[in-house]
Amino acid sequence: DRFFQPVANALDNPLNLKGTFWETGQLYEKSNNSVLSDDPPEISDLIKILETTRDAFHSPSALVDAISEGRYGDASRLLRGGLISESKIRLVAYALIDSLPEDDENEYLINELFRVFLRYLDALDAAVEAASRPSLGAVGGSGDDPRIKLLSLLGEVEDKMNLFVVAIKKGLGT
């Protein structure tokens, strides 16, 4: 009956609802460091936000440690706003893409790289969620230790994010 035991610090979310409260267990608090402000941010500041996020994916980081130690509930919360904020990544990325010079081929390529990154991030999020709830099925098959698969996915997410950051910097000439 170990499969029916609740995950430590996890909220009961049978409908798998999205949102800050359901994903992190904490009520939303408005940040003073909002990406959106009255003054438009500098491109270098936006790139720095993406680079900081990219760096959060690799070792040593709280996310890598949580996965390595099998704390999948913690890893899920870190991926869903605790350390990585998909909404912030989207805002920054789309602002940078909108800042690109008018070049259809380059803009299409960068958009596609960002979409690929988002697909990999979503796959990682789903795999961590499945690992945190054993009743949903194990990652990589029943009885297997999901840590290797999750760390591999994490590396792929970092690689896709890096490809996007390099391309956007090249496209913007920075």
Side-chain angles (χ1 to χ4, degrees):
D1 288 79
R2 65 182 175 91
F3 291 106
F4 297 106
Q5 294 176 348
V7 177
N9 298 328
L11 292 173
D12 185 31
N13 186 3
L15 299 176
N16 200 20
L17 300 172
K18 301 280 184 178
T20 303
F21 178 74
W22 293 108
E23 295 172 354
T24 66
Q26 299 174 358
L27 293 176
Y28 173 77
E29 292 181 24
K30 184 176 179 181
S31 171
N32 292 335
N33 303 354
S34 177
V35 174
L36 300 176
S37 65
D38 294 336
D39 300 327
E42 295 289 325
I43 287 179
S44 61
D45 293 336
L46 295 176
I47 289 175
K48 200 172 293 184
I49 291 170
L50 288 181
E51 290 173 335
T52 302
T53 302
R54 178 195 58 203
D55 294 344
F57 286 117
H58 69 270
S59 187
S61 80
L63 184 57
V64 172
D65 291 346
I67 292 172
S68 298
E69 296 167 7
R71 295 182 288 119
Y72 307 122
D74 291 345
S76 182
R77 282 186 285 283
L78 289 170
L79 275 173
R80 294 179 171 204
L83 180 65
I84 310 296
S85 171
E86 184 178 342
S87 60
K88 188 179 207 179
I89 293 170
R90 284 178 184 269
L91 284 172
V92 169
Y94 288 133
L96 288 170
I97 289 169
D98 287 344
S99 300
L100 287 170
E102 295 296 322
D103 178 0
D104 292 332
E105 186 175 317
N106 195 34
E107 186 176 348
Y108 174 78
L109 173 68
I110 291 171
N111 262 311
E112 189 58 29
L113 287 171
F114 185 60
R115 281 194 291 272
V116 168
F117 160 73
L118 289 175
R119 282 195 300 268
Y120 274 84
L121 182 62
D122 187 50
L124 175 65
D125 182 45
V128 169
E129 180 69 21
S132 72
R133 299 176 186 263
S135 62
L136 294 178
V139 176
S142 62
D144 292 343
D145 185 353
R147 291 180 287 191
I148 294 172
K149 171 87 171 166
L150 293 174
L151 289 171
S152 175
L153 273 171
L154 182 63
E156 291 175 10
V157 169
E158 180 188 358
D159 291 344
K160 301 308 176 197
M161 176 69 149
N162 194 47
L163 288 173
F164 171 70
V165 170
V166 168
I168 197 77
K169 286 170 73 173
K170 183 179 176 186
L172 292 169
T174 60

